[in-house]
Amino acid sequence: MNEEQRLASQQVKQPQQEKDYSKYFEKVFTAPSLKDAKKRGKEEVKYHKDFDIEEKFLHMGEGRKFYIRTYGCQMNEHDTEVMAGIFMQLGYTSTEQIEEADVVLLNTCAIREGAENKVFGELGFLLKYKRQNPEMLIGVCGCMSQEESVVNRILKQYQHVDMVFGTHNIHRLPHILNEAYMSKEMVVEVWSKEGDVIENLPKKRLGSIKAWVNIMYGCDKFCTYCIVPYTRGKERSRRPEEIIQEVRELAAQGYKEIMLLGQNVNAYGKDFEDITYRLGDLMDAIRTIDIPRVRFTTSHPRDFDDHLIEILAKGGNLVEHIHLPVQSGSNEILKIMARKYTREHFLQLVEKIKTAIPNVALTTDIIVGYPNETEEQFQETLDLYREVGFEMAFTYIYSPREGTPAAKMTDNVPDEVKKERLHRLNHVVAEYSAKALKELEGQIVEVLVEGSSKRRDDVLAGYTRKNRLVNFKADPKYIGHRVLVKVTEAKSHSLLGEFVGKVKEEVELIK
Ligand code: 5AD
Ligand code: SF4
């Protein structure tokens, strides 16, 4: 235990005496350690095939409601689906109204300071509800829980929080809830050593058209700005047969689009010791499953191999859209980011992809204002953006994350300069996005209809294979199906169109 953890643990009042119920659970106070999270042990990852809820917990949620607020990436959204599935197996029902919830969970994101501040703001706000209903349990989970500084701050300043648990132990939710009900102390269970791979966790999927499927957990890249390798642990791939089975089941249930998830999906399979099986192999297998669209996120340029490109070029249900975060166009910055590729390598990769998949849409992530980034280095990012012709980008100002190497670097770039660079970059992003949309005017695109517009039932909205939002008038019976739409007008972030007809494979399915 380091000094900080020791101080943190002293702030938790230990139970005065051993209570009888202690035989039902272990006392939980396991605090995180970023130092431990950095270690990449040699121990084998264990695969647990069957998640089971102990009998004694099965009625815990009867007459109780849960509410989960999710921050951050799709991985977190999917974790929320798993936790919702566990709650439901425990007998809870879900609610959209915080005030009527018996358990409120904040599934948090640690990627930037802004994301964390939102959570602390929300925690302060929740005090009001806790005062109205002292029985309400408030929990913090997700990536922020994996940070020592966050757990210490919660222990000191947010004592109305009842539970803190991490990303590696969401399967322990029944135990953690049980202990929170029994104990007056804050229950803290955060494992810094990455978890095992647990299959058959229940899931309450939020949609019926698109579904997320985890293919791997964690990241070993340790880009110098990034907290993810600490909060999500080492790379662990799910076994292909489990993934394929899950996708098959989703296809049978009528899902139309699958998003394969991982922090660095191109590293899929690197950790297998008994088989040689990588993302290209997995995509090749999933290609043959009868599900209309398959995507994956997020890619790392360094691990993007030729076999994968060759498989993606086969098209079919593998969509022609690749999200390929570049982060910077400057070799010096890429080097201090520890991205382990150069601008030239990235451009070569883009060239290969474009040659194999000529109509591909590439999108990216970019960080501006890295410590000591010069105007010339920023210009190289703008040049690279133009050279690739990305169709869209998520752009960020660098945010120091405690515990990462970049947070220790001195930085001579003033905040105003960072903001101004972001502004200039966003201008270029908007220009290229508008151009890509404009090119679609007059064309017929395939749209997977997700719902009707908030204001008008007869205006439907859906996404193209390249993930472009399209609005058009048609009968709501097309919701959940793929239709053909002629693009009539490009707006700044979306398209307007006219309904043309059904996609032939779905004719039979639309009543
Ligand atoms: N500051 C700013 N942006 C970051 N990202 C990751 N870490 C940071 C950070 N410390 C961005 C990267 C990544 C995306 C998910 O978030 O661009 O690809
Ligand atoms: Fe973070 Fe992605 Fe780099 Fe991994 S590959 S350290 S998740 S930016």
Side-chain angles (χ1 to χ4, degrees):
M1 205 187 258
N2 65 29
E3 185 61 9
E4 245 177 306
Q5 284 170 295
R6 194 180 58 75
L7 286 173
S9 64
Q10 281 172 355
Q11 287 164 48
V12 185
K13 284 177 256 130
Q14 301 297 322
Q16 298 293 304
Q17 61 196 69
E18 269 307 303
K19 310 236 172 67
D20 276 341
Y21 55 69
S22 60
K23 60 176 177 287
Y24 296 112
F25 56 85
E26 306 134 46
K27 173 76 193 123
V28 179
F29 186 84
T30 330
S33 150
L34 288 181
K35 221 164 127 212
D36 287 348
K38 193 170 184 188
K39 293 181 190 145
R40 288 296 183 259
K42 285 240 175 297
E43 324 79 66
E44 218 180 276
V45 171
K46 291 195 191 70
Y47 291 85
H48 301 267
K49 277 195 79 97
D50 292 302
F51 170 80
D52 234 352
I53 291 183
E54 286 172 50
E55 187 128 1
K56 65 180 186 242
F57 297 142
L58 280 177
H59 304 285
M60 185 194 278
E62 269 167 21
R64 287 173 166 156
K65 294 184 175 163
F66 72 94
Y67 173 98
I68 309 178
R69 178 161 293 176
T70 315
Y71 299 81
C73 67
Q74 306 185 39
M75 197 72 110
N76 258 19
E77 302 257 10
H78 189 46
D79 283 351
T80 289
E81 293 185 331
V82 172
M83 290 189 286
I86 298 177
F87 271 117
M88 292 175 112
Q89 283 204 350
L90 293 171
Y92 290 83
T93 50
S94 72
T95 176
E96 295 294 305
Q97 315 296 330
I98 294 195
E99 56 274 23
E100 63 173 46
D102 300 283
V103 185
V104 174
L105 282 188
L106 302 187
N107 187 6
T108 63
C109 168
I111 199 107
R112 279 170 293 274
E113 196 186 352
E116 297 205 347
N117 287 342
K118 276 194 213 149
V119 170
F120 285 121
E122 185 63 25
L123 276 180
F125 193 64
L126 285 175
L127 184 56
K128 183 180 100 186
Y129 294 107
K130 183 85 176 182
R131 286 201 177 119
Q132 281 164 9
N133 174 13
E135 298 294 300
M136 175 189 267
L137 288 186
I138 297 177
V140 178
C141 57
C143 288
M144 278 172 72
S145 312
Q146 297 290 141
E147 298 176 274
E148 288 145 66
S149 59
V150 168
V151 174
N152 289 340
R153 186 165 163 190
I154 293 175
L155 285 163
K156 279 191 201 124
Q157 296 173 17
Y158 300 89
Q159 282 164 6
H160 56 291
V161 169
D162 302 280
M163 323 170 263
V164 181
F165 58 99
T167 56
H168 303 312
N169 52 336
I170 59 179
H171 62 286
R172 295 259 312 153
L173 185 56
H175 295 262
I176 294 164
L177 283 166
N178 184 57
E179 174 142 4
Y181 283 123
M182 308 293 267
S183 164
K184 291 208 165 16
E185 318 305 327
M186 195 186 295
V187 174
V188 178
E189 183 180 295
V190 185
W191 300 347
S192 296
K193 185 201 160 300
E194 58 286 341
D196 296 334
V197 174
I198 299 167
E199 294 295 347
N200 297 324
L201 284 166
K203 293 170 195 100
K204 172 73 190 86
R205 296 197 185 265
L206 296 173
S208 54
I209 303 167
K210 298 186 190 178
W212 290 300
V213 173
N214 277 329
I215 65 167
M216 62 179 299
Y217 306 96
C219 179
D220 288 347
K221 282 281 180 282
F222 288 102
C223 301
T224 49
Y225 50 83
C226 190
I227 193 77
V228 168
Y230 307 81
T231 62
R232 292 277 175 177
K234 83 170 175 189
E235 291 170 354
R236 290 101 68 204
S237 305
R238 285 181 70 199
R239 302 294 298 187
E241 56 280 11
E242 300 284 351
I243 299 168
I244 291 164
Q245 175 67 10
E246 187 174 342
V247 176
R248 282 213 180 102
E249 281 166 14
L250 291 165
Q253 289 163 24
Y255 281 90
K256 295 288 161 69
E257 186 172 308
I258 298 294
M259 173 69 95
L260 303 173
L261 293 178
Q263 243 77 46
N264 171 14
V265 286
N266 303 86
Y268 177 75
K270 266 188 166 181
D271 53 321
F272 293 146
E273 285 179 356
D274 54 338
I275 48 172
T276 307
Y277 196 96
R278 302 297 305 274
L279 186 61
D281 302 298
L282 183 68
M283 297 307 276
D284 203 20
I286 292 180
R287 201 170 64 77
T288 61
I289 300 177
D290 189 15
I291 194 130
R293 292 182 180 181
V294 181
R295 308 177 184 279
F296 57 89
T297 201
T298 248
S299 285
H300 192 295
R302 162 101 187 183
D303 293 324
F304 210 108
D305 60 48
D306 291 352
H307 182 229
L308 176 62
I309 300 176
E310 190 189 307
I311 301 299
L312 294 179
K314 295 184 181 175
N317 59 2
L318 309 182
V319 298
E320 48 283 352
H321 170 208
I322 299 172
H323 187 66
L324 196 59
V326 65
Q327 313 297 0
S328 168
S330 148
N331 278 338
E332 292 98 353
I333 296 287
L334 288 171
K335 187 151 192 203
I336 56 169
M337 283 179 165
R339 292 289 289 177
K340 302 187 184 82
Y341 56 82
T342 60
R343 174 194 176 94
E344 291 72 29
H345 169 250
F346 186 84
L347 288 170
Q348 254 171 29
L349 174 63
V350 164
E351 221 22 68
K352 265 196 230 168
I353 295 174
K354 285 184 174 174
T355 308
I357 315 165
N359 62 342
V360 72
L362 294 171
T363 55
T364 197
D365 290 348
I366 293 177
I367 298 175
V368 300
Y370 212 61
N372 312 313
E373 182 191 57
T374 64
E375 174 60 25
E376 291 69 39
Q377 289 166 337
F378 171 66
Q379 284 294 341
E380 288 184 77
T381 300
L382 292 183
D383 285 351
L384 177 114
Y385 197 92
R386 294 194 182 96
E387 193 166 339
V388 175
F390 288 111
E391 291 205 4
M392 212 275 299
F394 296 110
T395 57
Y396 310 98
I397 291 180
Y398 164 68
S399 170
R401 306 283 64 218
E402 197 184 317
T404 61
K408 297 190 196 84
M409 295 176 195
T410 52
D411 185 3
N412 64 10
V413 189
D415 283 353
E416 303 73 64
V417 173
K418 295 186 187 220
K419 282 191 197 137
E420 191 262 342
R421 283 184 192 158
L422 182 72
H423 187 73
R424 274 191 284 158
L425 171 61
N426 285 345
H427 197 76
V428 175
V429 170
E431 180 195 325
Y432 276 76
S433 168
K435 191 166 138 257
L437 290 175
K438 194 89 190 150
E439 278 167 12
L440 290 170
E441 279 184 353
Q443 289 191 29
I444 291 178
V445 291
E446 181 201 282
V447 178
L448 173 57
V449 190
E450 290 191 19
S452 47
S453 102
K454 282 201 186 87
R455 268 172 265 141
R456 291 184 51 180
D457 275 356
D458 63 339
V459 176
L460 303 184
Y463 288 85
T464 65
R465 285 169 63 93
K466 296 185 185 180
N467 229 11
R468 290 300 193 178
L469 176 62
V470 187
N471 288 295
F472 61 102
K473 277 192 190 170
D475 193 309
K477 72 178 178 188
Y478 296 114
I479 294 172
H481 296 284
R482 287 172 299 152
V483 296
L484 298 173
V485 175
K486 180 165 182 185
V487 177
T488 51
E489 192 187 335
K491 299 282 206 188
S492 40
H493 298 290
S494 62
L495 299 163
L496 287 184
E498 276 166 9
F499 176 73
V500 173
K502 306 166 197 172
V503 166
K504 81 174 178 306
E505 296 85 354
E506 297 213 16
V507 169
E508 296 289 305
L509 298 172
I510 303 171
K511 303 277 177 308

